[in-house]
Amino acid sequence: MQLNRILIASITLLIISTSSLFSQTTSVPSEAKNKTAPFLFTPETIKTGEQIFNANCKSCHGDPGKANYAKLNPIPKDPASPEYQKNSDGEMFYILSNGRGLMPNFVNTLNEAQRWQVISYIRSFNKSYKQPPIKSTGEVVKTETAKMILAFDKSEKKVFATITDSVAGLRKPLPDITIKLFVKRTFGSLLVAEASTGKEGIAYFNTPADIPGDSLGFLSLIAKTQGNSKELISTLNEKLGVVTKPKNLLDQRAWWNVNKMAPVWLIISYLFGVVGIGITVVYILLQLRKIKKINDSAT
Amino acid sequence: MAESQTNIQQDSTVDNLIKDLFRTVRLNKGFNIWMGFLSVSLVICLYAYYIQLRDGLGVAGIRDYVSWGIYISNFVFFVATSLVGMLVSGVVGLSGQKWVTPLTRIAEIIAVAFAAVAGLVIVSDMGRPERLVNVFIHGRVQSPILWDVTVVTTYFLISLLLLYITLIPDLAYGKDHLEGRPKLLQKLYDILSLGWKGRKAEVKILKKSTIVMLILIIPVALSIHTVTSWLFAVTLRPGWDSSIFGPYFVSGAFVSGLSCLVIAMYFFRKNYKLEDYITDFHFDKVAKLLVLVSLVYLYFNLNEFLVPGYKMKKFDAVHLRELLAGEHALLFWSVQGLGLIIPIILLLIKPFRKPLPMLIIGIFVLAGSWLKRYIIVVPVQEHPFLPIQHEPSNFMVYSPTLIEILISIAPIIMVLMIISVLAKLFPIIPVWETVVHKGLIKDETEIENNNHI
Amino acid sequence: MEDESKNPKPKSRREFVKNIGLIGLGGIALGSSLYAAKHFEEKKRGQNVKLLTADGKLVEVDLLDVKQLDVDRLTNNQERGRKGIPGKSWVMVVDLSKCRNARKCIDACQSAHHLRPEQYHINTLQMKDTDRTPAYHMPKPCQHCDNPPCVSVCPVDATFKRSDGPVLIDNERCIGCRFCIAACPYSARSFNWFEPKDAEKDKDLVYDVELNVPQKKGTITKCCFSADRLRINQLPYCVSACPNGVYYFGDENEDAITNGTTKETVRLSKLLSDNGAYQLMEELGTKPRVFYLPPKNRLFPFSDNTENEKKS
């Protein structure tokens, strides 16, 4: 019986997923499913969550419970629906972070706290919801005293990060911490390398050599650890990029360029034509004056 | 005035001839009514333009996709028709065809009128006409519009100068043959004639100047219409993106210009009683010339449509289907048939080369010429590369509004006014040249040249 | 017209002058209508306007005093608008597999640039390349070509190419000839056929070339690649408004491009090569700055969802 039910359910699920080509294209890992919010949901978190929701989610999902979602194909789910509320907090967090199907990810646009605030807002539509107890796991760096230093090793020609924590006045290396290395770009940070700290608390990065830097080849690097409450950030400016000499588009003579930068032959031909006609007309006018002169002198 | 100084033989035949040709220089009731009618019509049309200035170009039927409508068709037509001055006086005149003499002034007046008004037509198509001065302040030498402004202005000035130069001896005659005309007009004649006496030296200068002008006007006239065709040909749009647009337009211009000349010839001959000067022979000659240029135009048409039609490239195919078999097919084939092919056939038959049949044919050809410009300008824009979507229905197809039509009629009225006034103020047949060609006075420069040989 | 030779009645000078006058009438009418057109543009004198000073005080000053200031600010805006942001070379990538015609880009764009609903700087088109290939939605902004046919033909340098890529329009200079509309193969340009939508609201705004606001009657309006936002290091209006992650925008010189929805920054070269990017009608030689990623692996079927469109 039980097996049959599961079978039917999964077949139904499969049909739904293939027909809408949308729903379950990503399955949530069980580890993520059990994740819980790092704080208690309060009217404040709900209020902030509402603002974030309206700014980022409403354009597709509409107002929860009002079914005024955008008429897209497939239809965006109503977060207030019982069907959606069946998800665990961890599942919601995962979907919100990584996106699902056509829903974009928000890992870069909302920080973890903001994502949890959105979930607290969504949960406020579920009267029967009870927030599970907060588990104190999942944080990479737990203490406030931890520090990360990003530096360049000239002999190894590698960027490295050192993470230490001060314990009783001594700095103790923190191993096994994953660090992401980004390069600063105009509209965001470009992920270039990822590494974990070793026993000495040092992580070496293999940075690609073909990243365009500034006119001297400098790159602005940012290293970040992942975590809920404590995110370590360290920056470094180093000559690791390709020297970029931007070309000025407007340097070339072209049809589309400004008057001054017109093709030389064109300017010459135009002036030649205009001046040529001008001279001829002036010549004719002089001839006419000659006729007048002949007659004026005769009378 | 001391008439003994003039080289003109004042015998009775010459005198009568001059008198006869100055007959038309007189304001009369018919002219006043005609000009009154034109002025009232023009005021109505200008009111339409006032509405356009007040409310914006949107009062016309043009929109984002078909953004060039009958204003631009009109402009192309005007530039085209003005080319007749260069064809008749320049090409035919310079080739030594003496028969063309009585027609040159009509052709030159047509040229001046159409060239002058063409400039105004283009202003009516501008969203910000008060910024016209920007073309001179910020003009970009890369833009065909700048070339067009340059050559149209130049052509107008040259045509005006040519008209004036050939008028000088006539103006001198006029001084003695304008008894009873307004003093102001006589004064005008006096000043403009530069005190012409017809001395050998003067005639020599005049002849030289005329030849220089006739030579100059040919490349300028060719360039005005070539540049006008480039307004279309420099774009990437299928149907405009053609390398033969220059000669295609120029040959078309001769067709529309000559048909306009035919109509003008007929009206001047009839109303001014000029049967002695503009004879059936002239009509016959002009008809043959019209056949020649029409055949050339037909040849270019064949090239313009057959070559892309053979290949049917993606976007060309859409355009050609629409034109040859779709929405615009009736218009297209009427224009090609009634405005080009049938006139050619008819004009090959002698009885049709008489004044009245030619008038009717001329009207058909002229109307066809106007509509041909419409066909060249509008349908292409209805099929851009990318589909027209999410737009109101009046963005999809073009249909001219009443205001737009009125504004387009205004320049036609202006042309009629300019032609009427010029034909009233000055003799419509070149007097001096007629006298010389009839051998009534000796052309002393020719004798001198002969002596040199 | 009747022939006059039979009654050679002398005419007086007065009658002649009268006729000339009649002809002149036409000219006067034309001149006055031109004057009237200019008059419409002039603001009334002796008016007071309220202004917010830099330190946050509201002051009332005579409009005439403001005018000179406005002229200076306008000149300033026009000069700045023509200067590209040094070292930048903006490009856009449109991922067609993600677009499902939400039209949020269009809304954001039209409200930023004060456009009428039928005026598009960016439009989404339903494309079907051949009978046998499936349909897809294609957002189509100005392609900001590096060989822009529209700029080539402009007679007054009103539309121009900037050193950092965008093709902009100065509608304080545009004469409204619409040659650029004729020349653009992407139908990317729109015209202010009537008084713009917000003409009344915007009448005291100083024109900004980079935003092309206020719109002006009788001039062209077009996509600006949100040059005003780029000036302050922000993504264009359409790019940041998209809920579906369709748009990427960035600096070619940095080889990085940022998705407007997810804010994820990726390498431009990798994005283009991994996805078989192409450009719209690049065979015309226009060298566009907008890349398209083909509509492959779509997670939803094509639907003709016209409900998302505003009815005009």
Side-chain angles (χ1 to χ4, degrees), chain C residues 66-93:
Chain C
V66 183
K67 245 186 176 173
Q68 189 46 47
L69 196 71
D70 281 359
V71 169
D72 295 344
R73 279 160 68 198
L74 174 65
T75 321
N76 207 14
N77 278 352
Q78 281 176 305
E79 274 168 13
R80 190 188 64 170
R82 280 175 192 263
K83 278 194 201 110
I85 301 164
K88 299 292 184 188
S89 178
W90 306 115
V91 288
M92 183 189 256
V93 176

Side-chain angles (χ1 to χ4, degrees), chain C residues 97-312:
Chain C
S97 64
K98 300 237 180 74
C99 180
R100 39 180 180 167
N101 201 23
R103 295 177 81 78
K104 298 291 173 196
C105 49
I106 297 169
D107 294 347
C109 172
Q110 289 184 331
S111 76
H113 297 292
H114 304 192
L115 298 172
R116 289 169 182 268
E118 73 273 14
Q119 289 181 307
Y120 297 105
H121 285 186
I122 184 167
N123 195 353
T124 58
L125 302 176
Q126 292 181 16
M127 300 294 287
K128 195 165 162 59
D129 294 340
T130 71
D131 290 341
R132 294 178 194 173
T133 49
Y136 57 94
H137 293 291
M138 183 182 80
K140 185 219 63 188
C142 168
Q143 307 290 303
H144 295 278
C145 310
D146 278 356
N147 179 21
C150 53
V151 177
S152 293
V153 298
C154 179
V156 294
D157 201 17
T159 190
F160 55 92
K161 180 85 185 162
R162 225 167 63 158
S163 63
D164 54 343
V167 172
L168 300 184
I169 171 92
D170 179 352
N171 79 22
E172 285 291 336
R173 184 181 289 184
C174 174
I175 60 170
C177 67
R178 310 187 304 295
F179 200 176
C180 51
I181 289 188
C184 175
Y186 302 103
S187 308
R189 285 166 173 259
S190 183
F191 192 71
N192 283 301
W193 296 102
F194 296 100
E195 214 44 89
K197 190 187 76 167
D198 293 337
E200 197 49 40
K201 251 195 284 177
D202 295 347
K203 69 180 194 298
D204 292 328
L205 282 183
V206 176
Y207 174 67
D208 180 7
V209 176
E210 293 183 339
L211 183 61
N212 199 31
V213 165
Q215 300 288 333
K216 285 263 153 101
K217 182 178 89 176
T219 63
I220 291 287
T221 181
K222 73 173 288 294
C223 164
C224 317
F225 248 16
S226 297
D228 59 319
R229 301 258 291 188
L230 303 178
R231 180 77 60 191
I232 52 171
N233 269 358
Q234 283 188 14
L235 290 168
Y237 298 103
C238 51
V239 171
S240 36
C242 177
N244 294 317
V246 175
Y247 298 101
Y248 292 82
F249 197 90
D251 176 8
E252 195 182 21
N253 292 338
E254 286 182 343
D255 193 26
I257 196 150
T258 304
N259 188 295
T261 313
T262 65
K263 302 293 186 291
E264 190 179 6
T265 302
V266 295
R267 290 196 75 166
L268 173 67
S269 48
K270 189 170 186 314
L271 183 74
L272 297 183
S273 68
D274 285 357
N275 293 284
Y278 69 96
Q279 290 178 312
L280 199 51
M281 297 189 284
E282 48 72 41
E283 67 273 16
L284 296 177
T286 48
K287 302 186 191 162
R289 277 185 172 264
V290 177
F291 296 87
Y292 286 92
L293 309 183
K296 56 160 194 177
N297 296 338
R298 278 187 286 175
L299 298 164
F300 55 95
F302 175 84
S303 74
D304 184 356
N305 52 344
T306 39
E307 311 95 284
N308 283 327
E309 285 157 37
K310 272 194 243 158
K311 295 277 172 266
S312 45

Side-chain angles (χ1 to χ4, degrees), chain B residues 97-103 265 269 274-289 350 353-355 358:
Chain B
Q97 302 282 328
K98 291 256 159 80
W99 61 267
V100 88
T101 306
L103 308 180
M265 275 165 69
R269 176 180 132 113
L274 295 172
E275 285 87 349
D276 291 344
Y277 304 94
I278 304 173
T279 60
D280 285 10
F281 168 73
H282 290 106
F283 276 92
D284 187 71
K285 281 281 190 188
V286 173
K288 285 172 182 165
L289 191 58
K350 200 161 188 208
R353 299 203 289 264
K354 295 269 179 254
M358 277 207 50

Side-chain angles (χ1 to χ4, degrees), chain B residues 218-292:
Chain B
I218 292 174
V220 174
L222 282 177
S223 61
I224 65 167
H225 216 40
T226 307
V227 170
T228 303
S229 81
W230 287 348
L231 297 183
F232 307 97
V234 298
T235 69
L236 296 160
R237 287 176 187 262
W240 285 354
D241 179 9
S242 159
S243 53
I244 65 158
F245 251 40
Y248 175 50
F249 271 46
V250 169
S251 60
F254 290 153
V255 175
S256 79
L258 274 184
S259 61
C260 186
L261 179 71
V262 167
I263 296 167
M265 275 165 69
Y266 184 88
F267 276 102
F268 284 128
R269 176 180 132 113
K270 191 131 174 66
N271 289 319
Y272 288 7
K273 305 266 180 295
L274 295 172
E275 285 87 349
D276 291 344
Y277 304 94
I278 304 173
T279 60
D280 285 10
F281 168 73
H282 290 106
F283 276 92
D284 187 71
K285 281 281 190 188
V286 173
K288 285 172 182 165
L289 191 58
L290 183 55
V291 170
L292 175 69

Side-chain angles (χ1 to χ4, degrees), chain A residues 97-124:
Chain A
S97 303
N98 300 296
R100 183 165 70 170
L102 277 160
M103 180 176 141
N105 67 58
F106 286 88
V107 70
N108 296 297
T109 37
L110 302 175
N111 65 31
E112 288 200 12
Q114 286 172 317
R115 278 173 257 160
W116 284 116
Q117 280 156 350
V118 170
I119 293 165
S120 80
Y121 171 63
I122 291 168
R123 285 301 191 201
S124 71

